[in-house]
């Protein structure tokens, strides 16, 4: 998308999304030279931002704690199965299947996330395990589509946490915790 079209869209909608902002930055950083029209569009955007005619939407400031819990359960179960068999399972497919059948648990602060984790472990752990097990059963019944996939290595608790942390950083890289005084 061109800068001109992004600016038109922002002026029409009254807001600039993080994706639009990133695209403008990408264009400005990769173009060796901007045209007069592009400079004029950027100037219009800057003016609209300064006057409040266009606002910048905030980046993602929340997480679904259920994703973390399901990924943790799925990785642990998959590691157990793969360590004792020749089966290769797709953690992403398993997590997606289970998450589609579980309630979301959103939080905007670390305190809120800790509350949601606690609540889920007390009230939903059995349901989480059941949905992950169902997802694994369905995954095992499917034909093998990607024979080049590799088994997740035998893991201790720390390796599972490292894998979960890496997955969360990949999928929630823009998460910015708010101050601890609100949920």
């Amino acid at each position: 998308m061109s800068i001109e079209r992004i600016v038109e869209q922002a002026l029409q909608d009254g807001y600039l999304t993080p994706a639009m902002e990133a695209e403008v930055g990408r264009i400005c950083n990769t173009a060796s030279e901007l045209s007069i029209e592009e400079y004029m569009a950027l100037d219009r955007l800057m003016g609209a931002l300064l006057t409040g005619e266009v606002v910048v939407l905030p980046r993602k400031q929340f997480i679904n704690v259920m994703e973390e819990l399901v990924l943790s359960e799925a990785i642990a179960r998959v590691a157990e199965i793969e360590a004792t068999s020749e089966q290769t399972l797709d953690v992403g497919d398993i997590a997606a299947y289970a998450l589609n059948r579980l309630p979301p648990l959103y939080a905007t602060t670390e305190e809120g996330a800790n509350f949601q984790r606690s609540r889920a472990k007390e009230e939903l752990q059995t349901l989480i395990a059941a949905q992950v097990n169902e997802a694994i059963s369905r995954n095992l019944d499917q034909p093998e589509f990607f024979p080049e996939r590799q088994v997740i290595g035998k893991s201790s608790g720390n390796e599972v946490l490292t894998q979960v942390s890496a997955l969360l950083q990949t999928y929630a890289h823009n998460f910015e915790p708010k101050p601890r005084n609100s949920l």
Side-chain angles (χ1 to χ4, degrees):
M1 186 181 278
S2 71
I3 291 175
E4 293 94 337
R5 294 200 67 212
I6 293 170
V7 172
E8 270 180 47
Q9 188 70 49
L11 290 169
Q12 178 184 341
D13 297 343
Y15 59 84
L16 187 68
T17 66
M20 293 162 74
E21 182 182 3
E23 182 64 11
V24 168
R26 186 194 66 74
I27 291 169
C28 290
N29 288 333
T30 59
S32 59
E33 198 173 289
L34 295 176
S35 69
I36 298 249
E37 291 81 15
E38 289 171 321
Y39 277 116
M40 289 173 57
L42 287 173
D43 187 51
R44 283 181 39 217
L45 179 60
M46 183 59 74
L49 288 167
L50 289 172
T51 62
E53 181 183 353
V54 171
V55 296
V56 178
L57 294 179
R59 297 191 184 276
K60 179 180 173 181
Q61 302 220 353
F62 53 86
I63 60 169
N64 181 358
V65 174
M66 186 61 79
E67 291 177 10
E68 172 189 321
L69 299 171
V70 167
L71 277 171
S72 183
E73 179 76 18
I75 289 169
R77 291 284 297 123
V78 165
E80 289 172 14
I81 292 166
E82 291 182 347
T84 59
S85 72
E86 294 296 315
Q87 296 287 336
T88 301
L89 299 167
D90 187 320
V91 174
D93 285 351
I94 291 166
Y97 181 93
L99 284 165
N100 282 328
R101 287 152 183 81
L102 291 164
L105 298 174
Y106 287 99
T108 60
T109 65
E110 193 58 41
E111 181 181 81
N114 288 334
F115 172 80
Q116 293 288 40
R117 277 185 206 98
S118 258
R119 181 177 148 230
K121 287 176 183 174
E122 288 174 20
E123 300 173 17
L124 300 171
Q125 189 58 47
T126 303
L127 184 59
I128 292 168
Q131 290 302 327
V132 167
N133 286 335
E134 172 68 21
I136 289 170
S137 294
R138 289 192 174 259
N139 195 271
L140 287 171
D141 290 340
Q142 292 181 359
E144 189 171 333
F145 293 108
F146 301 104
E148 71 278 3
R149 291 184 298 183
Q150 295 184 4
V151 175
I152 294 176
K154 294 179 182 167
S155 60
S156 66
N158 288 340
E159 289 172 354
V160 170
L161 290 175
T162 301
Q163 291 173 350
V164 169
S165 178
L167 283 169
L168 290 173
Q169 287 175 356
T170 299
Y171 292 107
H173 62 281
N174 288 331
F175 173 70
E176 299 171 11
K178 287 186 177 179
R180 293 182 170 255
N181 60 355
S182 67
L183 283 178

